[in-house]
C-alpha cells in the first residue's frame, strides 16, 4: 500500500491543526458517554490538547487496487475519530465516531494513532483528554499520482467478481480454530478435519473441488508459497496450521485461475494471507477450556511501526475431544516492515512451527453401530503425526517514475510425519518370496522433508493512451524444491515397519514468466489479462523402484525385503531408478471488467491453470504429466457506502474443467490421479459493515461431474452456506474508561455430499459464538464451538476396510466417518502493555 | 423472477445426480441340493463308480464374497483376496445341513453394491483366514459307498489348520502356499447382480466332494460294524481328494440371486 498524497486524502487536517478546541476536552471527572462529544468549553483552568505532529490517512488501497475504478467515482466521504490522549500527549486509544466503512475507518484510525499532542492540562497539570479528528477522504486524481510515502505492498488488481479481498476486521471475534478457517469468509469454501488430527492440514473444498489438503488451491502467506510441491501424501499439501490466526489481517481469495500471477496448484483458485497486527504494544493472552485445552499467546506490535511490523508466539496443547486426539503445538512468526527513502519499502518475515499430535482416524459406521468403538473413539490408536516448518522471506518494492519494481526471496524448510490407517488390516498381501505372514496391519507411516527456495519479481509500468491509464506488468517466479519421501507400512503389533511402499528423493523446479496488462478502452471498460508460461522440471531418484521379481534367485532369494536388487531370474540390479523430465505449459488468462454503473460492476473471466503431479508419476524422458484446467466465470458485484453502512455484494456463475482430477485413495493413503471432471455452479456473497456491526454471508451451489460417465464427483457438497457476524460497541464506563463489548457468531451449513456408490452424506451444521469485553488493557473472552452440541460426522467416505482381523474380512465398501467435535467452551484473558490501550 | 431462478437452481443442484451404483443389504441363505426331501439320505454315483449314500452332510461356511472380476490366469499371486472389486459379502456363515434343500439363513446379513458379480468365493474358516490353528469343523459327512460287492461305511471330519498347511515347493518362495488359500473356494463362476429386496442363495452339492475319491484306499478304523474314516489331513489319496472336492470351484457350489 502506498500513500499517495494526491490520492488523497485530503485529510481535514486543517480542521485538526486549526484551533478546534470545541472538539477536544479534558476527560471529566464524571465520564461522559463515550460517544457524546460536547461543544461545551473546557472547564476553567483547563487547556485542550494541541496537535504536535500529524499524519495523513491513505485512501484504502483495496479500493485503489481496483484499478478500473480509477476513472469512476470512488466514494468521497468523512470519518471522524475520537482519540484518547494520555498525560504525555500520546494517543492511547482511538475509536470511530462517524464511520465511512471498515476500510476507511481502519485507515483513519491508523493515521489518528500516529498523531502526537501537547497534553491537555487542568489547573496546570497534564491530564488525559479526548480529541476528535475528522478525516476527509477523496479519491485520488488519476493523472499524476505523487508518492509521498511508501508503506506496504500494492495489492494486485482485481480479476472480477470472484476475486475476493477480505478484511478480517471485527470478524476476528468469530471463533476459529485455525487460520485456515478464515478462508470461510470467502464464498464456496468449506473446511473439515477428516480424522487426520489436530496438526494435520485441513481438508478444503472450493467451488466444487475437493482440494484435499490444499492440492487444488495455491496458498501463499505474504507471497511465500505454502503448497508442498512433491509431497507424497498429496502433491500441493498445504498445512496452514503454522499461521497464528490473530496475525492475519486480510485475505485475497481468487476463485479460479484468472490472474497471471497465479502459478502451480491454482486449480480451484488461490488464497493469499496478508499478515499484520493492528494492536500495538505487547499482548499476552491465555486460554483454557474444554478438553483440557490450554493456549498461551504473545503478540508484539512495536509502537511507531506499521501494522505490518509484529511478532507473535504461541504454545498450545489439548487432550482433544475424544480418544487419541492429544496434541501439542508451538509456533512463532515475525515481520519487520521498513522504508528506504520515500519510494521503497521492504519486509523481512520469519516463522517457525512444530507440532505433534495423535489422531483418531476414520471409523466404520458399522463398528460404531455394533458398539465395537465409541463415536469419539478410534480404531487404531497408533495414528497421529508431527510437522515442523521454518521459513524466511524478504521482499523489496521500489517505484521509479511510472514503474514499480518488486522482488521477493524466500526459503522454507518443512518436515511432515503422518501415521494413518484407513483400511485396518486388509492390504498386507502375501508374496511368494516372503515368509508366511498374516495381516500385519495397514498403518501408513509417511515421512517427508523438503526444502524450498525461490524468487518472485515483477516490474509494473503505467502509461497513458487516449487519455486513459494503461498498465503492463512483467513478472517471474522461480521455485526449487528438494523433497524426500518415505512411506512404509507399520505392524500393528510390533510398531516396526514391515513394508516400504515409496522411497523418493526428488529435485523439482518450477519457473514461470508472465505478462499482465490492463487495457482501458473507456472509463467503464477494461480488458485485463495476459499469459503465464510455466516450466516444470523433475529429477527423481526412486530408491525403491523394484518391489517384485517374478523369478527370484534360488540361491539368494530376496526374502521379505521391499526394495529388491534382483530382476529376471535373479540378475542383479540396484533397487533404485533415476528419472528426469520437464515440460512447459502456457496459460492464458483474461478478464473483462465493465462499470461501475451506479455501484454495479460486471465481469467475465477465462483462464487456464495447471497442477503438477507428484514425483511418483514421473517417467524418464516422458513429458511431465500435469493437470490442465480451464475455468470461466461471469459475475456482478455491487459496492456502495451508505450513511450508516457499507455494502458489498457479489454474484458469480462459474464453471471449471480439469483433465486429471485427484481423488483420494484410501488404499494408498493419498490423492491419486483420476479422470477429468467438470463443475459448474453459482456463488453469492454479501458483506456489510457499520459503526457497530460487521456481517458477512455467502451461499454456493455447485455440481461436479466426471467427464466420461457424467457421474457426480464424490465428497463435494452441493450446497455451502456460511455466515459470519460481529456486533461491537462501547457498553459502559468504568473509572472513566469505556468497557467495549463484542459478540461474534459463525454459522455453517454444508449440504449432503455425494459419496461413492450412490450414497449421500449427512448434512453438517455448525454454530459457533464468542463474546468479549475489553477495558483499558484487559480483555476477557468466552468462546463456544458447536453450541448446539450436534453429534455430527465431519468427513464421510465409502470404501473397503477391515478393522477386525479375527473375523471374516469385510471386503465391500462401507460407510466411514470422522467425528465432529462436540460442544466446546473456551475462556480467554488477555492484557496489553503499551500500544493504544 | 430472480428469486424463482435461484430457487430453480437450488432444486436443480441440491440432491441431484449420483456417483453411480448403490449400496444395499440383503439376506443370504445356504441349502443342500434341490429336489430332495429334508432329512432323507442323499444318494448319488461318483465319477469313479461308487454309489454313495450320505446320511450326514454338514458344512460350515465362514463367509461368502462376490467379486466383479474373473481372474484371467493362474499367477503367482498368493493373496487371499481377488484383485478385482468385491461387490457383496456375507461376513458370517453358518453350519449348513446339506441334506436339507430348504433355505438356511446365514448368520450375517449381506452387504454389497449393485455392481454385476462374475465370481464368488466361499470361505471355509471359523474366523481369521490366516490363523495357523482353527479347530472349527468345516465339514462332517457320514454314509456308505458301494461299488459292486464292496461296501464302505465311512465318515469324515474336516478341519483346516496346520493339518492342511503345504510345504513350499521352492525354497526361494516360502510364502507361495499360505494357509488362507486352503480355506477359500475360489473362483466360483457366477453371473448375477445384487438388487435391493433380493437375497442370495448358496446351494452346495456334496456329491462333488467325492468325485475323485477311491473308497477302497480308505483306512478301516473299526471292524464291527465296519467303518472307514477319512483322515483329517491330506496325507492319503482319498482324504486329499475329499478335501480337494470340498474346495472345488465348479460342480459343488452354486450361487443364485433370488429377487
Amino acid at each position: 500500500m502506498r500513500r499517495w498524497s494526491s490520492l488523497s486524502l485530503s485529510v481535514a487536517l486543517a480542521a485538526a491543526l486549526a484551533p478546534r478546541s470545541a472538539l477536544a476536552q479534558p476527560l471529566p471527572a464524571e465520564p461522559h458517554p463515550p460517544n457524546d462529544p460536547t461543544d461545551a468549553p473546557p472547564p476553567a483552568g483547563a487547556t485542550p490538547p494541541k496537535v504536535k505532529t500529524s499524519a495523513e490517512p491513505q485512501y484504502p488501497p483495496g479500493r485503489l487496487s481496483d484499478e478500473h475504478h480509477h476513472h469512476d467515482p470512488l466514494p468521497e466521504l468523512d470519518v471522524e475519530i475520537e482519540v484518547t490522549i494520555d498525560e504525555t500527549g500520546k494517543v492511547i486509544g482511538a475509536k470511530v465516531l462517524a464511520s465511512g466503512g471498515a476500510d476507511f475507518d481502519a485507515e483513519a484510525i491508523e493515521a489518528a494513532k500516529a498523531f502526537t499532542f501537547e497534553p491537555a492540562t487542568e489547573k496546570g497539570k497534564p491530564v488525559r483528554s479526548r480529541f476528535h479528528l475528522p478525516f476527509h477522504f477523496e479519491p485520488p486524481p488519476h493523472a499524476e499520482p505523487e508518492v509521498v510515502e511508501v508503506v506496504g505492498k500494492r495489492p494486485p488488481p482485481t480479476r472480477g467478481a470472484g476475486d475476493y479481498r477480505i478484511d478480517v476486521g471485527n470478524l476476528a471475534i468469530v471463533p476459529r480454530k485455525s487460520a485456515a478457517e478464515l478462508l470461510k469468509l470467502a464464498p464456496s469454501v468449506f473446511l473439515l478435519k477428516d480424522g487426520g488430527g489436530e496438526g494435520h492440514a485441513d481438508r478444503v473444498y472450493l467451488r466444487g473441488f475437493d482440494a484435499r489438503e490444499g492440492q487444488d488451491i495455491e496458498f501463499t502467506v505474504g507471497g511465500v508459497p505454502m503448497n508442498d510441491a512433491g509431497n507424497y501424501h498429496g502433491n500441493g499439501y498445504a498445512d496452514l496450521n503454522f499461521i497464528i490466526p490473530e496475525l492475519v489481517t486480510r485475505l485475497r481469495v481468487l476463485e479460479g485461475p484468472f490472474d497471471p500471477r497465479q502459478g502451480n496448484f491454482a486449480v480451484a483458485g488461490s488464497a493469499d494471507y496478508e499478515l499484520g497486527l493492528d494492536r500495538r504494544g505487547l499482548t499476552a493472552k491465555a486460554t483454557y477450556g474444554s478438553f483440557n485445552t490450554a493456549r498461551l499467546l504473545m503478540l508484539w506490535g512495536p509502537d511507531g511501526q506499521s501494522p505490518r511490523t509484529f511478532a507473535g508466539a504461541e504454545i498450545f496443547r489439548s487432550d482433544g475431544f475424544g480418544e487419541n486426539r492429544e496434541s501439542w503445538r508451538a509456533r512463532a512468526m515475525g515481520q519487520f516492515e521498513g522504508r528506504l527513502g520515500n519510494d521503497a519499502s521492504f519486509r523481512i518475515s520469519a516463522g517457525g512451527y512444530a507440532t505433534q499430535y495423535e489422531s483418531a482416524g476414520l471409523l466404520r459406521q458399522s463398528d460404531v453401530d455394533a458398539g465395537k468403538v465409541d463415536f469419539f473413539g478410534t480404531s487404531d490408536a497408533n495414528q497421529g503425526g508431527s510437522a515442523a516448518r521454518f521459513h524466511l522471506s524478504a521482499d523489496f518494492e521500489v517505484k521509479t517514475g511510472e514503474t514499480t519494481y518488486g522482488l521477493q526471496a524466500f526459503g522454507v524448510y518443512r518436515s511432515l510425519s503422518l501415521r494413518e490407517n484407513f483400511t485396518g488390516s486388509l492390504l498386507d498381501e502375501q508374496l511368494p518370496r516372503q515368509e508366511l505372514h498374516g495381516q500385519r496391519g495397514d498403518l501408513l507411516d509417511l515421512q517427508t522433508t523438503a526444502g524450498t527456495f525461490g524468487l518472485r519479481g515483477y516490474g509494473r509500468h503505467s502509461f497513458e493512451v487516449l487519455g486513459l491509464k494503461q498498465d503492463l506488468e512483467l513478472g517471474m517466479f522461480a521455485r526449487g524444491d528438494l523433497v524426500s519421501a518415505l512411506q512404509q507400512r507399520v505392524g500393528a503389533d510390533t510398531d516396526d515397519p514391515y513394508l516400504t511402499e515409496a522411497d523418493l528423493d526428488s529435485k523439482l523446479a518450477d519457473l514461470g514468466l508472465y505478462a499482465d496488462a490492463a487495457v482501458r478502452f473507456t472509463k467503464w471498460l477494461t480488458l485485463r489479462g495476459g499469459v503465464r508460461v510455466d516450466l516444470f522440471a523433475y529429477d527423481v531418484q526412486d530408491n525403491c523402484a523394484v518391489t517384485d521379481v517374478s523369478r527370484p534367485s534360488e540361491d539368494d532369494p530376496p526374502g521379505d525385503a521391499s526394495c529388491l536388487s534382483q530382476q529376471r531370474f535373479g540378475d542383479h540390479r540396484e533397487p533404485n531408478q533415476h528419472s528426469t523430465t520437464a515440460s512447459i505449459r502456457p496459460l492464458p488468462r483474461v478478464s473483462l471488467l465493465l462499470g461501475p454503473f451506479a455501484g454495479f460492476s460486471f465481469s467475465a473471466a477465462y483462464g487456464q491453470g495447471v497442477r503438477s503431479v507428484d514425483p511418483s508419476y514421473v517417467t524418464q524422458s516422458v513429458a511431465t504429466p500435469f493437470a490442465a484446467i480451464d475455468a470461466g466465470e461471469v459475475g456482478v458485484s455491487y459496492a456502495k457506502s451508505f450513511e450508516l453502512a457499507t455494502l458489498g455484494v457479489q454474484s458469480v456463475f462459474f464453471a471449471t474443467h480439469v483433465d486429471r482430477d485427484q481423488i483420494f485413495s484410501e488404499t494408498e493413503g493419498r490423492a491419486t490421479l483420476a479422470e477429468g471432471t467438470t463443475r459448474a455452479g453459482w456463488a453469492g456473497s454479501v458483506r456489510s459493515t457499520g459503526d457497530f456491526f460487521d456481517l458477512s454471508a455467502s451461499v454456493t451451489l455447485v455440481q461436479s461431474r466426471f467427464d466420461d460417465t457424467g457421474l457426480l464427483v464424490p465428497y463435494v457438497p452441493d450446497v455451502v452456506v456460511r455466515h459470519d457476524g460481529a456486533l461491537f460497541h462501547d457498553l459502559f464506563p468504568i473509572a472513566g474508561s469505556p468497557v467495549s463489548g463484542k459478540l461474534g457468531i459463525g454459522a455453517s451449513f454444508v449440504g449432503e455430499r455425494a459419496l461413492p456408490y450412490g450414497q449421500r452424506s449427512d448434512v453438517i451444521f455448525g454454530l459457533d459464538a464468542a463474546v468479549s469485553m475489553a477495558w483499558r488493557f484487559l480483555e476477557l473472552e468466552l468462546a463456544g464451538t458447536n453450541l448446539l452440541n450436534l453429534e455430527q460426522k465431519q468427513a464421510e467416505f465409502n470404501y473397503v476396510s477391515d478393522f477386525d482381523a479375527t473375523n471374516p474380512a469385510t471386503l465391500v465398501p462401507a460407510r466411514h466417518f470422522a467425528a465432529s467435535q462436540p460442544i466446546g467452551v473456551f475462556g480467554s484473558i488477555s492484557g496489553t502493555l503499551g500500544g493504544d490501550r | 423472477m430472480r428469486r424463482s431462478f435461484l430457487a430453480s437452481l437450488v432444486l436443480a443442484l441440491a440432491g441431484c445426480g449420483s456417483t453411480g451404483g448403490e449400496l444395499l443389504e440383503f439376506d443370504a441363505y445356504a441349502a443342500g441340493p434341490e429336489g430332495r426331501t429334508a432329512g432323507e439320505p442323499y444318494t448319488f454315483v461318483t465319477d469313479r463308480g461308487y454309489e454313495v449314500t450320505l446320511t450326514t452332510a454338514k458344512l460350515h461356511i465362514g463367509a461368502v464374497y462376490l467379486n466383479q472380476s474373473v481372474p484371467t490366469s493362474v499367477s503367482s499371486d498368493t493373496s487371499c483376496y481377488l484383485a478385482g472389486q468385491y461387490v457383496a459379502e456375507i461376513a458370517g456363515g453358518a453350519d449348513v445341513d446339506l441334506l436339507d434343500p430348504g433355505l438356511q439363513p446365514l448368520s450375517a446379513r449381506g452387504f454389497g453394491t449393485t455392481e454385476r458379480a462374475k465370481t464368488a468365493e466361499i470361505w471355509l474358516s471359523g474366523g481369521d483366514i490366516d490363523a495357523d490353528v482353527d479347530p472349527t469343523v468345516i465339514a462332517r459327512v457320514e454314509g456308505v459307498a458301494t461299488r459292486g460287492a464292496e461296501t464302505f461305511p465311512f465318515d469324515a471330519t474336516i478341519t483346516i489348520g496346520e493339518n492342511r498347511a503345504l510345504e513350499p515347493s521352492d525354497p526361494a518362495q516360502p510364502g507361495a502356499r499360505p494357509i488362507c488359500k486352503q480355506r477359500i473356494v475360489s473362483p466360483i463362476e457366477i453371473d448375477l447382480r445384487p438388487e435391493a429386496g433380493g437375497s442370495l442363495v448358496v446351494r452346495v452339492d456334496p456329491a462333488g466332494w467325492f468325485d475323485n475319491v477311491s473308497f477302497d484306499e480308505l483306512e478301516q478304523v473299526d471292524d464291527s460294524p465296519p467303518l472307514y474314516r477319512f483322515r483329517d489331513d491330506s496325507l492319503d489319496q482319498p482324504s486329499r481328494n475329499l478335501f480337494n472336492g470340498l474346495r472345488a470351484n465348479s460342480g459343488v457350489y452354486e450361487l443364485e440371486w433370488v429377487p
Side-chain angles (χ1 to χ4, degrees):
Chain A
M1 287 152 282
R2 296 176 179 283
R3 285 205 165 154
W4 311 75
S5 67
S6 59
L7 297 182
S8 26
L9 322 179
S10 65
V11 175
L13 245 196
L17 296 171
R20 293 286 299 268
S21 58
L23 292 173
Q25 60 180 336
L27 286 174
E30 291 298 322
H32 282 246
N35 287 321
D36 185 22
T38 171
D39 289 339
T47 62
K50 295 177 182 174
V51 174
K52 280 173 64 180
T53 60
S54 61
E56 294 182 4
Q58 58 179 343
Y59 202 89
R63 308 260 177 157
L64 295 178
S65 65
D66 201 0
E67 290 183 5
H68 71 282
H69 285 148
H70 273 200
H71 304 282
D72 305 302
L74 285 166
E76 181 178 339
L77 47 79
D78 297 304
V79 175
E80 187 167 348
I81 302 294
E82 180 186 81
V83 293
T84 303
I85 303 159
D86 70 4
E87 295 84 346
T88 66
K90 184 179 170 187
V91 175
I92 57 172
K95 68 177 182 182
V96 177
L97 294 181
S99 174
D103 48 355
F104 288 99
D105 295 350
E107 297 297 341
I109 284 179
E110 185 177 344
K113 289 176 183 173
F115 273 62
T116 59
F117 294 84
E118 294 286 351
T121 61
E122 190 169 339
K123 296 177 182 174
K125 285 186 175 181
V127 293
R128 284 193 173 193
S129 61
R130 296 198 190 113
F131 197 91
H132 292 188
L133 292 172
F135 294 99
H136 182 70
F137 287 85
E138 279 183 3
H142 166 66
E144 295 180 358
E146 176 190 350
V147 176
V148 295
E149 190 177 30
V150 176
V151 167
K153 288 194 295 184
R154 185 179 174 189
T158 184
R159 300 289 150 175
D163 189 351
Y164 301 97
R165 317 296 174 102
I166 302 162
D167 284 308
V168 177
N170 285 298
L171 295 181
I173 185 67
V174 177
R176 302 177 205 281
K177 292 184 66 179
S178 68
E181 294 199 11
L182 289 167
L183 292 167
K184 293 178 180 175
L185 291 172
S188 306
V189 177
F190 159 53
L191 295 100
L192 53 75
K193 291 279 187 189
D194 61 3
E198 193 70 35
H200 192 280
D202 290 272
R203 184 168 175 150
V204 187
Y205 298 83
L206 175 62
R207 275 199 174 181
F209 278 94
D210 174 5
R212 294 292 304 164
E213 299 98 341
Q215 288 93 317
D216 287 332
I217 302 174
E218 182 188 24
F219 285 105
T220 51
V221 176
V224 179
M226 287 291 300
N227 301 84
D228 291 357
N231 188 306
Y232 189 76
H233 185 63
N235 191 42
Y237 181 93
D239 183 359
L240 305 180
N241 288 310
F242 87 92
I243 304 172
I244 297 173
E246 286 85 349
L247 294 176
V248 179
T249 57
R250 291 185 180 92
L251 293 96
R252 180 198 185 198
V253 179
L254 175 50
E255 301 189 353
F258 303 129
D259 189 332
R261 296 163 186 78
Q262 293 172 291
N264 196 7
F265 307 117
V267 176
S270 60
D272 181 53
Y273 283 78
E274 184 178 324
L275 302 182
L277 180 64
D278 288 331
R279 178 182 295 185
R280 300 287 86 186
L282 180 63
T283 300
K285 182 178 182 180
T287 302
Y288 185 79
S290 301
F291 326 121
N292 200 22
T293 299
R295 180 182 189 233
L296 290 174
L297 174 68
M298 301 277 285
L299 301 171
W300 181 45
D303 290 333
Q305 302 291 337
S306 84
R308 288 164 291 277
T309 295
F310 60 84
E314 178 215 76
I315 291 180
F316 170 93
R317 77 156 306 282
S318 176
D319 290 345
F321 58 87
E323 190 181 350
N324 210 55
R325 288 177 170 87
E326 198 168 358
S327 61
W328 303 262
R329 178 180 73 220
R331 51 192 179 185
M333 309 180 77
Q335 178 170 282
F336 178 79
E337 180 178 71
R339 302 172 190 165
L340 297 171
N342 285 332
D343 297 331
S345 68
F346 68 94
R347 280 145 298 274
I348 298 173
S349 63
Y353 162 69
T355 184
Q356 182 156 349
Y357 59 94
E358 299 170 338
S359 69
L362 301 177
L363 304 179
R364 281 181 67 96
Q365 179 69 58
S366 59
D367 287 349
V368 176
D369 293 342
K372 294 179 179 176
V373 60
D374 184 72
F375 187 84
F376 297 110
T378 182
S379 293
D380 187 342
N382 292 314
Q383 298 175 95
S386 63
R389 177 187 174 99
F390 302 91
H391 73 265
L392 181 64
S393 167
D395 72 82
F396 171 79
E397 190 174 74
V398 61
K399 183 173 174 66
T400 303
E402 293 302 319
T403 307
T404 302
Y405 301 96
L407 184 66
Q408 179 179 32
F410 53 83
V412 184
Y413 168 83
R414 59 198 182 278
S415 67
L416 172 68
S417 174
L418 294 178
R419 280 192 162 208
E420 297 179 313
N421 188 350
F422 299 99
T423 51
S425 298
L426 195 65
L427 305 176
D428 187 10
E429 184 181 358
Q430 172 72 60
L431 298 176
R433 60 182 169 78
Q434 295 176 332
E435 294 294 330
L436 286 170
H437 62 76
Q439 291 288 328
R440 290 168 285 189
D442 297 343
L443 182 65
L444 280 170
D445 187 355
L446 170 66
Q447 302 144 54
T448 70
T449 57
T452 301
F453 46 90
L455 290 170
R456 69 169 81 230
Y458 63 88
R460 183 187 309 131
H461 182 68
S462 299
F463 53 97
E464 282 200 12
V465 175
L466 301 175
L468 296 170
K469 181 179 173 235
Q470 317 292 336
D471 296 316
L472 175 65
E473 178 173 322
L474 302 176
M476 55 81 68
F477 175 81
R479 168 179 174 164
D481 292 272
L482 303 174
V483 187
S484 69
L486 175 65
Q487 179 158 301
Q488 297 178 309
R489 298 275 179 182
V490 175
D493 297 332
T494 64
D495 205 32
D496 296 330
Y498 67 81
L499 176 70
T500 296
E501 293 193 333
D503 185 358
L504 299 165
D505 290 318
S506 309
K507 305 180 193 74
L508 314 178
D510 174 8
L511 289 97
L513 300 175
Y514 69 84
D516 181 34
V519 181
R520 294 180 176 84
F521 300 100
T522 70
K523 290 183 177 180
W524 47 267
L525 177 62
T526 301
L527 183 67
R528 180 171 290 143
V531 66
R532 179 186 178 103
V533 180
D534 270 283
L535 177 144
F536 299 102
Y538 285 74
D539 184 325
V540 180
Q541 185 67 263
D542 185 348
N543 299 308
C544 193
V546 186
T547 58
D548 197 12
V549 52
S550 58
R551 294 180 183 274
S553 165
E554 292 187 4
D555 300 332
D556 184 21
D560 288 68
S562 299
C563 312
L564 306 184
S565 55
Q566 294 185 19
Q567 61 181 345
R568 295 188 298 268
F569 300 97
D571 289 351
H572 175 77
R573 65 151 293 165
E574 295 297 330
N576 66 303
Q577 181 70 51
H578 181 224
S579 304
T580 61
T581 181
S583 63
I584 290 177
R585 178 78 178 178
L587 306 166
R589 290 157 187 183
V590 64
S591 303
L592 187 65
L593 309 167
L594 293 90
F597 308 107
F600 287 94
S601 298
F602 303 88
S603 64
Y606 168 79
Q608 293 185 2
V610 68
R611 179 189 57 222
S612 63
V613 299
D614 79 54
S616 66
Y617 291 104
V618 168
T619 305
Q620 175 65 34
S621 299
V622 174
T624 313
F626 46 73
I629 295 93
D630 288 271
E633 68 168 36
V634 292
V636 57
S637 58
Y638 176 77
K640 185 83 173 175
S641 291
F642 300 95
E643 185 176 351
L644 297 177
T646 62
L647 179 65
V649 183
Q650 293 86 26
S651 169
V652 184
F653 291 89
F654 57 87
T656 309
H657 171 256
V658 54
D659 68 346
R660 296 180 198 219
D661 209 342
Q662 288 194 118
I663 303 294
F664 181 67
S665 165
E666 296 82 8
T667 55
E668 294 193 42
R670 65 196 192 104
T672 54
L673 288 179
E675 300 301 317
T677 58
T678 300
R679 66 269 301 134
W682 170 81
S685 60
V686 58
R687 184 167 180 178
S688 181
T689 58
D691 290 349
F692 62 93
F693 64 89
D694 190 344
L695 304 172
S696 170
S698 66
V699 179
T700 302
L701 309 171
V702 65
Q703 274 206 347
S704 304
R705 292 183 180 274
F706 284 104
D707 295 338
D708 53 352
T709 62
L711 298 175
L712 292 179
V713 176
Y715 309 126
V716 177
D718 294 339
V719 181
V720 178
V721 182
R722 173 70 189 178
H723 165 71
D724 292 85
L727 301 174
F728 42 89
H729 206 279
D730 285 351
L731 302 175
F732 50 84
I734 297 179
S737 298
V739 174
S740 59
K742 281 188 180 179
L743 168 66
I745 295 177
S748 297
F749 171 83
V750 180
E752 294 179 343
R753 285 150 285 155
L755 299 177
Y757 304 101
Q759 301 293 293
R760 288 268 171 178
S761 74
D762 294 345
V763 301
I764 298 174
F765 180 74
L767 179 63
D768 309 324
V771 293
S772 74
M773 298 182 75
W775 178 75
R776 292 186 178 172
F777 61 90
L778 281 177
E779 183 168 355
L780 300 174
E781 180 179 315
L782 186 64
T785 55
N786 189 12
L787 288 173
L788 302 181
N789 200 25
L790 301 174
E791 189 174 86
Q792 298 184 112
K793 303 161 192 167
Q794 275 208 70
E796 293 187 70
F797 303 87
N798 272 337
Y799 65 89
V800 181
S801 74
D802 183 18
F803 282 94
D804 185 359
T806 60
N807 286 316
T810 48
L811 299 177
V812 300
R815 185 70 62 93
H816 296 71
F817 70 92
S820 184
Q821 179 184 297
I823 187 172
V825 180
F826 308 90
S828 300
I829 182 170
S830 62
T832 301
L833 303 177
D836 56 3
R837 291 266 173 179
Chain B
M1 178 72 180
R2 184 174 177 81
R3 272 191 305 185
S4 62
F5 172 75
L6 285 178
S8 302
L9 188 64
V10 171
L11 291 174
L13 292 174
C16 174
S18 169
T19 53
E22 186 181 342
L23 293 181
L24 53 85
E25 293 186 32
F26 57 89
D27 292 322
Y29 304 91
E34 286 184 290
R36 302 185 53 263
T37 302
E40 291 190 353
Y42 176 31
T43 301
F44 52 88
V45 177
T46 72
D47 290 350
R48 298 205 172 195
Y50 291 95
E51 181 180 278
V52 177
T53 298
L54 294 177
T55 55
T56 299
K58 293 189 175 175
L59 174 70
H60 176 82
I61 293 177
V64 180
Y65 300 91
L66 309 184
N67 195 291
Q68 68 177 183
S69 301
V70 178
T72 54
S73 65
V74 177
S75 69
S76 61
D77 180 9
T78 50
S79 173
C80 293
Y81 309 136
L82 293 177
Q85 179 176 305
Y86 286 86
V87 299
E89 70 184 14
I90 303 97
D95 291 318
V96 183
D97 182 358
L98 303 185
L99 301 186
D100 183 353
L103 301 183
Q104 301 161 56
L106 300 182
S107 63
R109 280 188 46 90
F111 294 93
T113 72
T114 52
E115 306 287 334
R116 186 179 180 189
K118 303 301 291 287
T119 55
E121 294 178 9
I122 309 287
W123 284 25
L124 306 176
S125 73
D128 182 4
I129 199 78
D130 294 312
D132 292 333
V133 177
D134 183 355
T136 306
V137 174
I138 299 300
R140 169 73 184 165
V141 289
E142 296 174 348
V144 177
T146 60
R147 187 171 64 178
E150 298 175 302
T151 300
F152 303 96
F154 67 87
D155 67 12
T157 300
I158 297 176
T159 63
I160 307 176
E162 291 173 309
N163 53 333
R164 306 291 175 182
L166 300 177
E167 289 297 318
S169 56
D170 179 354
Q173 299 192 333
R177 297 166 133 182
I179 187 64
C180 61
K181 299 292 277 187
Q182 304 299 310
R183 295 188 169 117
I184 298 177
V185 184
S186 173
I188 303 166
E189 197 169 325
I190 60 172
D191 187 0
L192 58 84
R193 184 189 294 274
E195 294 175 350
S199 51
L200 182 71
V201 176
V202 180
R203 287 203 179 272
V204 186
D205 187 349
W209 299 356
F210 297 91
D211 274 349
N212 294 312
V213 171
S214 297
F215 286 89
D216 55 353
E217 296 181 28
L218 275 177
E219 179 184 0
Q220 185 170 357
V221 295
D222 208 340
D223 293 331
S224 179
L227 180 63
Y228 297 81
R229 175 165 291 163
F230 289 86
R231 295 172 59 95
D232 189 17
D233 54 37
S234 298
L235 296 180
D236 63 23
Q237 183 273 343
S239 304
R240 184 164 56 248
N241 286 350
L242 176 63
F243 182 65
N244 289 340
L246 176 69
R247 298 166 54 248
N249 59 13
S250 64
V252 176
Y253 302 93
E254 289 187 359
L255 288 87
E256 179 186 9
W257 187 261
V258 180

